[in-house]
Amino acid sequence: KPDNANPVNRILEKVYEPIIRIVLKWRKTTIAVNIIALLITIPLLKNLGTEFIPPLDEQSILFMPITLPDVSNAEAKRILQVQDKIIKSVPEVDKVLGKAGRANTATDNSPISMIETIITLKPKSEWRKGITKKDIVTELDAKLQIPGVVNGWTQPIINRINMLATGIRTDVGIKVFGQNLDTIA
């Protein structure tokens, strides 16, 4: 069967033919319009791959310190209790809930050396005058400098998304692969 026997082809040809005739008649104008369209997209390409949605303020903080890998259960529990007490001493903090090690779920593969503490903040109207969330994190980080513990700060929901997507527990991370540890180091 010829192409024009198909009703869809006939409709498309009726639409396409007048357009192609105009484009061929106005070749230079058509090329100029396309070049202008291309130039307009160049600034947009510079932003390609960046986030266009501002980060969500979850009104809570996730404190994720890591201790030494061989920490005992008793020591992890002691560190968690000390940290929770220090965190609760900040006036903007409403509730503190911490856990050491893994929960009984398939999505949580944390070792005992990894502590997670969710810090719920009071409404901003109850905060000290002029203080921001960043100030609270800075204050908490200064108070929570414990030998053998490396602090990490993020938000609970975005951290779960990042961990599930990348396997890295922070916003920025580096994965190093190789056969020989001496060569990598």
Side-chain angles (χ1 to χ4, degrees):
K1 288 184 172 182
D3 287 342
N4 62 2
N6 186 335
V8 175
N9 276 0
R10 283 196 304 267
I11 293 170
L12 290 175
E13 284 176 10
K14 283 183 182 177
V15 171
Y16 180 75
E17 190 175 343
I19 293 172
I20 199 70
R21 288 190 190 282
I22 292 169
V23 167
L24 289 173
K25 182 178 177 183
W26 299 93
R27 287 184 192 124
K28 290 180 182 176
T29 306
T30 303
I31 291 172
V33 167
N34 281 294
I35 289 172
I36 291 169
L38 180 66
L39 293 174
I40 289 172
T41 61
I42 290 173
L44 300 175
L45 289 174
K46 290 183 179 183
N47 292 331
L48 193 63
T50 60
E51 292 186 41
F52 59 91
I53 299 176
L56 175 68
D57 184 8
E58 299 176 23
Q59 280 301 328
S60 57
I61 301 168
L62 180 61
F63 174 51
M64 294 185 67
I66 292 186
T67 62
L68 299 172
D70 61 347
V71 70
S72 67
N73 286 350
E75 181 62 11
K77 181 180 176 183
R78 186 193 71 76
I79 291 171
L80 181 62
Q81 289 172 337
V82 168
Q83 288 174 341
D84 286 357
K85 192 174 188 179
I86 292 169
I87 292 168
K88 191 67 177 143
S89 71
V90 173
E92 289 75 19
V93 173
D94 186 27
K95 296 180 184 123
V96 180
L97 176 67
K99 80 167 182 68
R102 71 183 73 200
N104 193 15
T105 69
T107 60
D108 192 355
N109 60 350
S110 306
I112 191 72
S113 62
M114 192 163 123
I115 298 169
E116 292 181 1
T117 302
I118 296 177
I119 304 164
T120 307
L121 302 174
K122 293 178 181 174
K124 288 187 180 184
S125 60
E126 297 179 29
W127 291 8
R128 291 172 280 174
K129 201 151 197 84
I131 199 162
T132 64
K133 190 174 180 181
K134 187 175 182 179
D135 296 333
I136 295 169
V137 170
T138 304
E139 180 182 343
L140 286 169
D141 196 49
K143 288 183 173 186
L144 290 165
Q145 294 301 315
I146 299 172
V149 178
V150 178
N151 296 343
W153 300 92
T154 185
Q155 297 184 98
I157 297 170
I158 193 65
N159 180 64
R160 274 295 164 225
I161 293 168
N162 289 343
M163 282 182 70
L164 290 172
T166 65
I168 299 174
R169 70 175 198 95
T170 58
D171 291 336
V172 177
I174 299 172
K175 286 187 177 183
V176 179
F177 296 95
Q179 298 297 322
N180 187 343
L181 186 59
D182 295 329
T183 307
I184 295 171

